[in-house]
Amino acid sequence: MRRDPVLDVRLLGKSFVLHAVSGREVVALRDFTFSLATGEHVALAGMSGAGKSTLLKCIYRTYRPTSGEVWLQIHAGEYVDMCALTDAEVAAIRGHEIGYVSQFLRSEPRRGALDIVMKSALQRGMSEHDAREAARLALTRVGLEPHLWDVYASVLSGGEKQRVNLAAGTVHPPRLLLLDEPLSALDPENRERALELIGSLTRRGVAIVSIFHDLEAIQRLATRVLVVEKGRLVAERDPQDLDERLAAAAR
Amino acid sequence: MSGAFGERRFEVARLRVPEWLLEVRGLGKSYGPHDDAVIASTGPQAGTAKSPLNGSVVAAWDVSFAVAAGEALGIVGESGSGKTTVLRCLAGDTAPTAGQANIRLPDGIVSLFEVAPAERRRLRIDTVSVVYQDPAEGLKLNVTAGGNIAEPLTAAGWRNFGKIRSRAEELLARTEVPLNRMDDLVRSFSGGMKQRVQIAKALANSPSVVLFDEPTTGLDASVAAGVLDLIRSLLEEHRIAAVVVSHDFSVIEMLTQRCLVMQHGRVVESALTDQLLEDPHHPYTQRLVAAARA
């Protein structure tokens, strides 16, 4: 029997109207439909500009989709359409139900790593005490040295920031995790650690949609691959059947 | 309501969002006579807040929003867009021409523009506070820091000198004003320190709504950063409904979750703050964001 999806994206579309260039319309995503169950890890593959990040941002609702539906499971048998929620409802659900790890650390200025990860855990409903413990554990898991935990994250190196991001996204992991090139700035040792971490989340049942720029990460972690071209879903592949050309395109 | 995945049905969940503490509906302020034609002759489409028909300035019109406990709403726009007018109407500094503002109290809802003046003053003392850009508006400069903070406390009925003094100490400590400055005239304070005293005073009676009008504009960058950090941590500590008016996107990004954009006295766009920065829709918002990101 097929499991109920954690995420069900239906005919999702996104266009941008650029007023600075006389109202030009750029269509970034067209009629995108897919579904994701517990413990599934769907990797998006395709050229840069194909619409992969746009899809993640539409699901998280950093972008406001132009058309379609994004059904997110919040309890067994209960769903909300992220596209139909008010801003206040999105704000209420976002930190709690969805983790988003971007390539860049978009943290507020003048906040330390431990603070950032702890805030994320608090948003997911942990108590102050548990959140602190969970944050410590999450930072240890991504290999960030304790002497960096209270340093403003804005002064950390690219790879360190990315690990703070990953820790914040995966602490007390939510039902759905969106990963946008979370390994791009990591050295081999930290990359290995991060790969382990993401794999363990899938085994624990977290549903993941990801963008990776290398074949190895996709093949090691993904359970399915969606090939995106010009904003459309053009093919679905088994990660092991992914050819070099496609992986190169994903780069 | 329900939906389906193929044959299988599911329920559409009803989300619980926190109740609003401040609700503004159709707020408007016109300087000079106005009728429908005058209003229609102003705004973003007309490209001006000043009516070509009779010279009235429609500083703000048809502004609506709600803010919940623990939430901060930003209002951005360039100077003259009407954002401060909205705040001043809510603060009671300016009489609105149209609209309603409701405050949720533990024992019911009051309509800010309809209550008697005495009740209005009382609400301003213990429920709705304002932090102005210019400390001279929120503070008496020829009074000590302690004296300034004592003012809203005594207005709220505090009579015991020792208690007033210890509450003032507590607030100054929280806003990081050295306690040995407590009995100095505010006039002698630096800009950043004055702003901290103003914040301490605004919080004196633990208000449920705090309005911030460009709270860091005009301060040196490092001083502004310190004041912003203070506001951020206060908003996280207390379940306050905050409105933050600023022309500075970095302030809005740091403090608020949702945001309105105003131009020529009208709200042209409202969204989550990250949406506004990453996916602005209105031409004016796109220009503002492009300018901020340059």
Side-chain angles (χ1 to χ4, degrees), chain A residues 7-230:
Chain A
L7 178 72
D8 192 64
V9 173
R10 300 178 180 182
L11 296 173
L12 193 64
K14 174 64 189 168
S15 354
F16 297 91
V17 178
L18 308 177
H19 294 284
V21 275
S22 49
R24 182 184 303 157
E25 191 178 342
V26 177
V27 182
L29 210 60
R30 298 165 202 264
D31 296 341
F32 209 101
T33 298
F34 78 103
S35 192
L36 180 69
T38 328
E40 269 198 292
H41 180 149
V42 166
L44 305 174
M47 309 250 270
S48 76
K52 307 185 298 292
S53 291
T54 298
L55 177 61
L56 293 193
K57 287 185 178 180
C58 281
I59 294 170
Y60 198 61
R61 254 199 63 179
T62 294
Y63 288 168
R64 292 172 273 183
T66 313
S67 55
E69 297 163 17
V70 174
W71 291 98
L72 176 74
Q73 186 184 45
I74 59 167
H75 300 290
E78 283 187 41
Y79 290 77
V80 290
D81 176 8
M82 290 292 286
C83 299
L85 300 182
T86 64
D87 292 340
E89 287 172 331
V90 173
I93 207 170
R94 207 191 237 173
H96 198 255
E97 304 286 348
I98 312 178
Y100 178 80
V101 180
S102 79
Q103 187 174 0
F104 310 104
L105 181 73
R106 289 176 24 198
S107 83
E108 300 156 71
R110 301 179 300 283
R111 228 192 240 284
L114 186 67
D115 228 22
I116 291 169
V117 180
M118 209 180 131
K119 191 179 168 191
S120 178
L122 287 170
Q123 275 187 333
R124 290 178 189 151
M126 290 188 118
S127 71
E128 182 103 8
H129 175 266
D130 290 353
R132 185 173 299 278
E133 279 313 302
R136 289 201 174 109
L137 195 67
L139 285 169
T140 309
R141 230 185 282 134
V142 297
L144 195 78
E145 297 80 0
H147 70 271
L148 296 176
W149 291 1
D150 57 354
V151 175
Y152 291 155
S154 52
V155 306
L156 297 178
S157 77
E160 287 161 352
K161 281 184 194 167
Q162 206 160 49
R163 283 183 278 152
V164 176
N165 250 356
L166 202 57
T170 56
V171 67
H172 195 46
R175 215 179 292 266
L176 175 65
L177 191 58
L178 307 171
L179 305 173
D180 192 344
E181 303 214 11
L183 314 173
S184 59
L186 301 186
D187 57 57
E189 189 188 329
N190 283 306
R191 187 186 136 81
E192 185 55 37
R193 237 188 230 123
L195 286 169
E196 274 299 316
L197 168 63
I198 296 166
S200 74
L201 293 173
T202 303
R203 289 190 294 277
R204 285 172 59 182
V206 175
I208 297 176
V209 188
S210 71
I211 302 169
F212 290 111
H213 68 276
D214 64 303
L215 190 59
E216 194 222 339
I218 295 176
Q219 292 189 327
R220 239 175 96 175
L221 298 174
T223 54
R224 271 195 296 156
V225 176
L226 303 183
V227 183
V228 187
E229 211 176 283
K230 292 182 180 156

Side-chain angles (χ1 to χ4, degrees), chain B residues 222-235:
Chain B
S222 62
V223 175
V227 173
L228 271 180
D229 289 353
L230 171 65
I231 296 174
R232 174 174 65 184
S233 61
L234 289 170
L235 292 181

Side-chain angles (χ1 to χ4, degrees), chain B residues 212-225:
Chain B
F212 294 91
D213 186 13
E214 305 270 9
T216 56
T217 306
L219 300 176
D220 291 346
S222 62
V223 175

